[in-house]
């Protein structure tokens, strides 16, 4: 009678150890990436306000251009993990190479569009006459690093699928350190100004991509996997990533609508919204790290034809999401007197910020469930459902958010609408996880 509980506890402990071993390094790598922009901002900020304004506009465009292709990491993780679970490492690495070749092709296409269109793109964002030249310079140079950035995404997905999140952490730390040193050296030592900051970022990203390629190529040679581009494999990677691209674009639309609505509410509201959004993004890194662990583990179990193991991991991931959300929400409430003054001393912004921030804190358990189930379904390769679910969420959120200024609602109402958005996502993901339709075993979905 006592054997079953003991076994159940042992299984939970095994899942917990695996989740932690994958999630902690993944969190470090996720946090390291935004530090690139922080270093650029800190270095360029001392050149002058027009230069910093130009960097802000160009960086926003660059971040958007890269973030929409995050499916290169997500889809590759799931596909590689399945083949790892099936015990076919050569096929796993071959799948990863297809994702890397796709990243190179997409990166080249983005560069071909961005470099000549840079002045038009900067003008579209309403850059001032003083900031525009710096924004164009930074965007044109830094866009040359986009192929490397996309290779980093795809190669990160390969290693995550191989159950390795430590190497991406080490590469991210190395890239951050190199970027900081190059920025200072090229901006001030070589007196290149904002162009030096852009070149520093390009060189650092290319260095990261080179390290990843060395790791993947060594693995391919060790296991006899081909490195040549395969048209059918690249096409399959693109098809697997397309639904996740739709999902990502829909989520970006939600965030853009929220910012646009906040801007219509007033200066204090949009300033408070930006602070909350920054904090919300930080908590998302912690939850996304758990989701990344879920992608890798779920994919491996399904590839090994272990449907019951996938269900057990899913249940444990949900528990992790709830607990993590509760902890993060409590931290936001407890630490708010400490961090709010760090962001702003304006009492009007602080007064607007506080009630909306409490809504964010209360909604963290919902976010925890959403992130982990997102990771579970990505790991299962259930991209088409994720795309439709996010489109439905956007359709619910958009009219509610856009009515807020008309109805006289403020920033707190907007973040209640954001909570509604997350609740709809949770409902759609929960229903899918309960249905079991995401459980498709085998080396391929």
């Amino acid at each position: 009678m006592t054997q079953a509980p003991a076994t159940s506890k042992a299984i939970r402990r095994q899942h917990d150890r695996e989740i932690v071993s994958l999630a902690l390094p993944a969190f470090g790598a996720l946090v390291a990436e935004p530090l690139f922009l922080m270093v650029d901002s800190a270095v360029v900020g001392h050149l002058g306000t027009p230069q910093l304004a130009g960097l802000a506009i160009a960086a926003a465009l660059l971040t958007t251009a890269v973030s929409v292709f995050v499916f290169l990491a997500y889809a590759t993780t799931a596909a590689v993990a399945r083949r790892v679970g099936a015990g076919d490492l050569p096929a796993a690495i071959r799948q990863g190479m297809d994702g890397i070749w796709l990243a190179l092709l997409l990166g080249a296409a983005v560069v071909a569009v961005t470099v000549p269109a840079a002045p038009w793109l900067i003008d579209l964002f309403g850059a001032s006459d003083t900031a525009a030249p710096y924004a164009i310079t930074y965007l044109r140079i830094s866009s040359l690093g986009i192929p490397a950035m996309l290779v980093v995404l795809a190669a990160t997905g390969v290693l995550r699928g191989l159950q390795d999140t430590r190497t991406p952490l080490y590469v991210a730390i190395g890239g951050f350190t190199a970027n900081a040193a190059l920025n200072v050296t090229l901006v001030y030592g070589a007196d290149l100004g904002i162009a030096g900051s852009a070149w520093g970022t390009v060189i650092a990203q290319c260095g990261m991509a080179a390290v990843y390629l060395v790791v993947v190529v060594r693995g391919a040679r060790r296991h006899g996997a081909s490195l040549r581009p395969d048209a059918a494999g690249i096409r399959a990677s693109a098809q697997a990533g397309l639904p996740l691209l739709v999902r990502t674009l829909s989520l970006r639309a939600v965030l853009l609508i929220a910012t646009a609505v906040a801007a219509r509410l007033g200066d204090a509201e949009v300033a408070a919204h930006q602070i909350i959004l920054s904090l919300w993004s930080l908590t998302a890194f912690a939850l996304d790290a758990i989701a990344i662990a879920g992608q890798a583990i779920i994919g491996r179990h399904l590839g090994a034809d272990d449907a019951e193991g996938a269900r057990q991991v899913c249940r444990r991931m949900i528990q992790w999401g709830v607990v993590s959300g509760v902890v993060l929400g409590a931290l936001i409430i407890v630490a708010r007197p400490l961090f709010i003054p760090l962001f702003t001393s304006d009492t009007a912004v602080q007064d607007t910020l506080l009630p909306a921030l409490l809504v964010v804190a209360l909604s963290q358990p919902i976010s925890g469930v959403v992130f982990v189930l997102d990771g579970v379904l990505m790991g299962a390769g259930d991209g088409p459902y994720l795309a439709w679910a996010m489109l439905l969420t956007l359709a619910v959120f958009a009219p509610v958010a856009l009515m807020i200024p008309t109805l006289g609602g403020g920033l707190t109402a907007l973040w209640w609408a954001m909570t509604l958005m997350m609740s709809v996502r949770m409902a759609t993901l929960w229903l899918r996880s309960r249905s079991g339709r995401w459980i498709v075993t085998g080396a391929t979905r």
Side-chain angles (χ1 to χ4, degrees):
M1 295 295 290
T2 59
Q3 184 64 32
T7 303
S8 178
K9 288 182 180 179
I11 291 173
R12 285 201 301 270
R13 283 196 297 269
Q14 180 183 347
H15 290 325
D16 290 345
R17 284 194 297 269
E18 193 169 23
I19 291 168
V20 170
S21 67
L22 291 172
L24 283 181
F27 176 69
L30 288 169
V31 171
E33 286 299 320
L35 294 178
F36 271 76
L37 182 57
M38 289 182 64
V39 168
D40 288 6
S41 299
V43 173
V44 171
H46 290 286
L47 295 175
T49 300
Q51 289 90 332
L52 185 58
L55 170 67
I57 295 169
L61 283 165
L62 188 68
T63 301
T64 300
V66 174
S67 65
V68 297
F69 296 113
V70 73
F71 70 83
L72 288 167
Y74 293 157
T76 304
T77 297
V80 171
R82 274 184 176 269
R83 286 161 176 79
V84 169
D88 192 349
L89 283 177
I93 296 173
R94 172 68 263 176
Q95 179 72 40
M97 285 305 306
D98 291 336
I100 290 173
W101 281 112
L102 176 61
L104 286 169
L105 292 173
L106 291 173
V110 174
V111 171
V113 172
T114 304
V115 172
W120 178 80
L121 291 169
I122 297 302
D123 183 63
L124 187 66
F125 266 62
S128 66
D129 291 340
T130 53
Y134 297 110
I136 293 170
T137 297
Y138 188 90
L139 182 60
R140 276 183 165 160
I141 296 173
S142 60
S143 65
L144 299 177
I146 288 177
M149 296 177 195
L150 298 190
V151 167
V152 167
L153 284 177
T156 299
V158 176
L159 295 181
R160 288 173 182 169
L162 294 170
Q163 318 296 297
D164 176 9
T165 56
R166 291 183 180 274
T167 300
L169 171 61
Y170 301 147
V171 175
I173 292 173
F176 166 73
T177 304
N179 182 57
L182 287 165
N183 262 262
V184 173
T185 301
L186 295 177
V187 172
Y188 298 116
D191 198 26
L192 294 179
I194 195 171
S197 178
W199 280 117
T201 299
V202 170
I203 295 169
Q205 291 287 351
C206 288
M208 291 171 65
V211 172
Y212 273 123
L213 288 175
V214 168
V215 172
V216 174
V217 168
R218 283 179 177 173
R221 288 176 175 169
R222 185 164 57 248
H223 295 287
S226 174
L227 297 173
R228 294 180 180 178
D230 177 66
I234 295 171
R235 191 162 50 247
S237 293
Q239 290 171 347
L242 184 59
L244 295 181
L245 175 61
V246 172
R247 167 204 167 273
T248 301
L249 290 174
S250 301
L251 183 56
R252 296 291 300 184
V254 165
L255 299 177
L256 288 173
I257 290 170
T259 300
V261 169
R264 292 173 63 188
L265 297 176
D267 290 346
E269 285 77 6
V270 73
H273 175 74
Q274 184 57 39
I275 293 170
I276 293 175
L277 199 59
S278 299
L279 182 64
W280 193 70
S281 298
L282 181 61
T283 62
F285 284 133
L287 298 173
D288 201 28
I290 302 172
I292 287 169
Q295 292 173 32
I297 298 170
I298 289 291
R300 194 191 71 231
H301 276 288
L302 293 177
D305 293 324
D306 185 6
E308 182 55 32
R311 289 190 185 93
Q312 291 176 352
V313 171
C314 178
R315 287 194 292 267
R316 194 57 177 163
M317 294 293 297
I318 292 172
Q319 293 169 359
W320 268 81
V322 172
V323 172
S324 300
V326 170
V327 171
L328 289 171
L331 285 174
I332 291 172
I333 293 173
V334 171
R336 71 186 189 281
L338 299 176
F339 66 75
I340 289 178
L342 295 177
F343 285 100
T344 180
S345 58
D346 189 324
T347 55
V349 175
Q350 290 182 355
D351 291 343
T352 303
L353 175 66
L354 187 57
L357 193 61
L358 292 176
V359 175
V360 174
L362 292 173
S363 68
Q364 284 303 297
I366 297 174
S367 297
V369 175
V370 168
F371 273 85
V372 298
L373 286 180
D374 219 27
V376 165
L377 297 185
M378 283 184 190
D382 203 12
Y385 182 83
L386 289 171
W388 284 110
M390 197 61 227
L391 285 171
L392 172 63
T393 302
L394 175 61
V396 173
F397 170 77
V400 173
L402 293 172
M403 283 192 299
I404 288 172
T406 304
L407 298 176
L411 188 66
T412 303
L414 175 59
W415 276 95
W416 276 119
M418 289 288 284
T419 302
L420 170 66
M421 180 270 296
M422 293 301 287
S423 298
V424 173
R425 289 187 71 190
M426 184 177 71
T428 57
L429 297 175
W430 178 265
L431 289 172
R432 186 64 167 182
S433 69
R434 295 286 292 176
S435 73
R437 294 178 183 174
W438 56 278
I439 300 177
V440 179
T441 59
T444 59
R445 183 178 173 86

